């Protein structure tokens, strides 16, 4: 039999590859040789029949690390969120409350209304960074006035646009919600980043919520997959809804195996993510933020984790300028959002410094297309 590691060396997607110069998103991370090796050695049984050991072990492992009863591997963060939201809601009328910038409402193709018919109560956080209990209380509907639509689910997101919701605030919101018979879901696609920033341990956060969806294919670098954690009852329902939208997969060991490597090697085996590859990326993001402000640029948000939001308009730069200048230097950029992942190299950051110089001097041919790309504008 051929040695898998020999074959892996020949694949064009081996190692970081072009990901080192791609700062559009942490979804651009490439699977590592150890992920590809794990795929070669995985079990290949059927997950619709719950028979695949690699998938089952991954689910038990994540359930245990997040202090939940059960877990369900899903194909994407969107699938994790939508299946969770669908599983929490039972009898209309019901409403879902979330931050106005939440991924579930801005970037999931209208899934909440499509799958649940829920009214969505979007809230603009007063502090501009994250929701607080005061924001939630102001907009949640608790009464039984028949004109109103009662809030039955709060969906939080952490990190949101790279910013951290502090553990104490998350706890206040969840305790108040539970006291008022409201479930709370966490879109924790990038909760790993909040943990690595020192905001709390993985289980400090995850154990608070009725469900949490965590992504493997963003900063963690796996090719596919997210996982939903919750009670046995919720996950049983979620498995059903996952099937109804075509998310029941057969030889899921192929992506479960890479996801396990992503947790252990990229996030780390300790509960604060200090032993993995993510640790260190936030320093690079802070450095990029300083590179921008030291040239007179303005930031739209503070840099808490791996995202740097340049305020292009306030800095006199067009929405597509960064992408245009970046292309000249072999860097992939999108609007004003710069995302650092652990495969971004120091060479990429020096090139970015040159992009910033050029953008601030206005010394380049501006692209005709000045429509705002995804990621450059706030909804
Ligand atoms: C906060 C957040 N939640 C969910 C998702 C959805 O993940 P996916 O692209 O895997 O569907 C994303 C994707 O970028 C995200 O940023």
């Amino acid at each position: 039999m051929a040695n898998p590691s020999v074959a892996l060396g020949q694949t064009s997607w081996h190692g970081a590859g072009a990901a080192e110069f791609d700062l559009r998103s942490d979804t651009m991370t490439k699977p590592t040789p150890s992920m590809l090796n794990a795929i070669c050695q995985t079990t290949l049984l059927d997950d619709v029949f719950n028979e695949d050991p690699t998938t089952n072990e991954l689910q038990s492992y994540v359930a245990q690390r997040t202090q939940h009863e059960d877990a369900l591997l899903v194909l994407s963060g969107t699938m994790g969120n939508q299946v969770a939201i669908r599983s929490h809601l039972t009898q209309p009328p019901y409403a879902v409350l979330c931050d106005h910038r939440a991924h579930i409402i801005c970037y999931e193709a209208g899934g909440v209304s499509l799958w649940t018919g829920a009214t969505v109560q979007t809230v603009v956080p007063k502090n501009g960074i994250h929701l607080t209990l005061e924001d939630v209380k102001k907009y949640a509907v608790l009464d039984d006035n028949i004109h109103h639509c009662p809030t039955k689910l709060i969906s939080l997101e952490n990190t949101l646009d790279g910013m951290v919701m502090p553990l104490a605030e998350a706890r206040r919101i969840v305790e108040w919600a539970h006291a008022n018979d409201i479930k709370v879901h966490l879109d924790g696609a990038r909760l790993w980043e909040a943990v690595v920033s020192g905001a709390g341990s993985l289980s400090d956060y995850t154990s608070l919520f009725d469900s949490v969806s965590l992504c493997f294919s963003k900063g963690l670098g796996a090719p596919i997959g997210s996982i939903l954690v919750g009670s046995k009852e919720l996950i049983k329902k979620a498995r059903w809804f996952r099937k109804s939208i075509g998310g029941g997969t057969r030889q899921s060991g192929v992506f479960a195996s890479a996801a396990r490597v992503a947790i252990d090697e990229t996030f780390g085996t300790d509960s604060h993510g200090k032993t993995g590859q993510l640790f260190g990326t936030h320093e690079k993001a802070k450095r990029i933020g300083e590179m921008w402000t030291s040239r007179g640029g303005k930031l739209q948000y503070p840099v808490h984790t791996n995202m740097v939001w340049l305020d292009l308009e306030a800095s006199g730069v067009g929405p597509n300028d960064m992408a245009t200048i970046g292309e000249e230097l072999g860097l992939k950029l999108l609007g004003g959002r710069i995302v650092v992942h652990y495969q971004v190299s120091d060479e990429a950051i020096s090139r970015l410094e040159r992009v910033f110089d050029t953008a601030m001097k206005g010394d380049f041919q501006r692209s005709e297309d000045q429509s705002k790309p995804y990621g450059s504008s706030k909804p």
Side-chain angles (χ1 to χ4, degrees):
M1 203 175 90
N3 176 349
S5 58
V6 173
L8 290 175
Q10 294 163 357
T11 60
S12 58
W13 43 309
H14 169 77
E20 72 174 300
F21 297 116
D22 199 330
L23 293 102
R24 291 172 299 171
S25 175
D26 43 13
T27 56
M28 300 304 171
T29 39
K30 298 280 191 283
T32 59
S34 70
M35 289 177 197
L36 298 174
N37 262 315
I39 293 170
C40 288
Q41 282 153 35
T42 191
T43 54
L44 294 168
L45 299 186
D46 191 304
D47 183 48
V48 173
F49 286 5
N50 292 349
E51 285 175 357
D52 181 55
T54 306
T55 306
N56 291 340
E57 272 163 34
L58 175 77
Q59 290 172 163
S60 314
Y61 177 68
V62 176
Q64 173 251 316
R65 284 194 67 172
T66 56
Q67 289 179 19
H68 275 271
E69 283 177 3
D70 211 349
L72 182 71
L73 183 64
V74 290
L75 291 170
S76 64
T78 301
M79 187 178 276
N81 285 333
Q82 295 301 328
V83 159
I85 293 167
R86 179 54 276 176
S87 303
H88 280 301
L89 297 173
T90 50
Q91 176 65 53
Y94 42 53
V96 177
L97 183 147
C98 61
D99 189 301
H100 71 121
R101 304 160 296 181
H103 199 276
I104 62 154
I105 200 66
C106 298
Y107 305 112
E108 296 190 5
V112 176
S113 49
L114 180 65
W115 303 122
T116 72
T119 293
V120 181
Q121 297 159 337
T122 52
V123 180
V124 179
K126 197 164 170 216
N127 62 24
I129 310 273
H130 60 78
L131 288 177
T132 61
L133 176 57
E134 287 65 36
D135 295 323
V136 169
K137 274 181 169 172
K138 199 163 162 193
Y139 294 96
V141 173
L142 301 180
D143 62 61
D144 58 1
N145 180 322
I146 62 159
H147 297 89
H148 297 162
C149 187
T151 306
K152 288 291 169 195
L153 180 70
I154 295 172
S155 182
L156 300 180
E157 186 173 315
N158 202 7
T159 60
L160 189 157
D161 288 347
M163 293 179 290
V164 174
M165 171 177 284
L167 183 61
E169 198 59 56
R171 186 176 288 120
R172 286 177 82 218
I173 295 173
V174 175
E175 284 175 357
W176 176 86
H178 286 170
N180 288 286
D181 197 25
I182 298 172
K183 302 275 190 220
V184 192
H185 169 69
L186 177 69
D187 175 353
R190 294 190 180 82
L191 184 64
W192 317 105
E193 305 284 350
V195 171
V196 163
S197 79
S201 76
L202 183 64
S203 61
D204 283 345
Y205 272 106
T206 53
S207 61
L208 295 176
F209 295 91
D210 299 294
S211 58
V212 183
S213 157
L214 296 152
C215 285
F216 301 127
S217 64
K218 302 198 163 50
L220 258 52
I224 306 174
S226 286
I227 200 157
L228 178 67
V229 296
S231 66
K232 281 205 177 307
E233 194 189 345
L234 182 90
I235 295 299
K236 187 174 174 198
K237 255 199 209 171
R239 186 178 293 280
W240 212 322
F241 285 120
R242 183 188 70 171
K243 187 80 178 87
S244 78
I245 58 171
T249 56
R250 301 299 175 175
Q251 286 76 40
S252 56
V254 171
F255 57 102
S257 53
R260 176 63 189 261
V261 174
I263 304 175
D264 289 348
E265 294 185 3
T266 317
F267 175 68
T269 46
D270 69 303
S271 61
H272 289 85
K274 290 213 162 106
T275 56
Q277 308 255 33
L278 273 192
F279 201 72
T281 52
H282 299 178
E283 280 311 312
K284 282 188 179 162
K286 285 201 177 79
R287 216 166 90 212
I288 292 172
E290 281 154 18
M291 272 161 41
W292 180 247
T293 52
S294 67
R295 285 166 172 75
K298 303 272 181 272
L299 292 175
Q300 188 170 357
Y301 292 132
V303 182
H304 286 181
T305 57
N306 66 329
M307 289 191 193
V308 186
W309 285 85
L310 314 181
D311 189 337
L312 297 179
E313 208 173 330
S315 310
V317 177
N320 289 308
D321 291 353
M322 305 306 287
T324 308
I325 307 165
E327 204 177 341
E328 292 282 301
L329 293 170
L331 272 192
K332 288 195 171 138
L333 299 170
L334 181 70
R337 187 184 80 162
I338 294 175
V339 186
V340 182
H341 50 76
Y342 80 97
Q343 295 174 354
V344 166
S345 61
D346 287 335
E347 168 60 20
I349 296 180
S350 353
R351 291 188 197 181
L352 190 60
E353 204 154 17
R354 281 152 58 203
V355 172
F356 286 178
D357 280 335
T358 310
M360 294 311 274
K361 282 190 206 130
D363 187 16
F364 63 98
Q365 181 69 39
R366 180 160 280 167
S367 142
E368 304 244 310
D369 176 14
Q370 287 301 312
S371 57
K372 288 184 178 179
Y374 165 88
S376 73
S377 61
K378 298 309 300 157

